[in-house]
Amino acid sequence: MIVDARGHRCPTPSLKLQKAMREAAPGARLTLLATDPMARIDVPHLMAGLGGAVISIREADGVLTIEVATPAGPTG
C-alpha cells in the first residue's frame, strides 16, 4: 500500500501513515512518500511507539520513500 503525503508538512505524513496502518493487515508493508524532511525523524518514532518497523528510508529528487511494516498479529 502506498501512502502519498507529498506536499504535506508535519504531522500530516505520520498521521496519514498511522491511518493506513489501522486499515492494513498485521505484518503488512506500507510505503510512505513524503517531501517533508521531518518524516525521516517522525516515522521511526511513530513505528517504535506502535510496535512496527522501518524497513528502509530512501531519498531521491526531494522525495522520501519510507517503507514500514505494521506490527505482526498475535502468535500461537
Side-chain angles (χ1 to χ4, degrees):
M1 174 186 296
I2 295 178
V3 179
D4 190 350
R6 291 176 290 182
H8 293 280
R9 305 278 303 162
C10 178
T12 302
S14 292
L15 294 174
K16 284 182 167 239
L17 179 60
Q18 190 171 13
K19 180 178 187 269
M21 287 176 64
R22 285 194 295 268
E23 299 168 2
R29 288 192 177 202
L30 290 84
T31 301
L32 175 68
L33 303 176
T35 49
D36 183 355
M38 287 302 295
R40 184 185 294 274
I41 297 167
D42 293 343
V43 171
H45 284 290
L46 173 68
M47 297 311 291
L50 296 177
V54 175
I55 306 300
S56 67
I57 300 176
R58 298 181 310 277
E59 185 172 358
D61 299 323
V63 177
L64 287 167
T65 301
I66 304 173
E67 186 178 357
V68 302
T70 63
T75 59

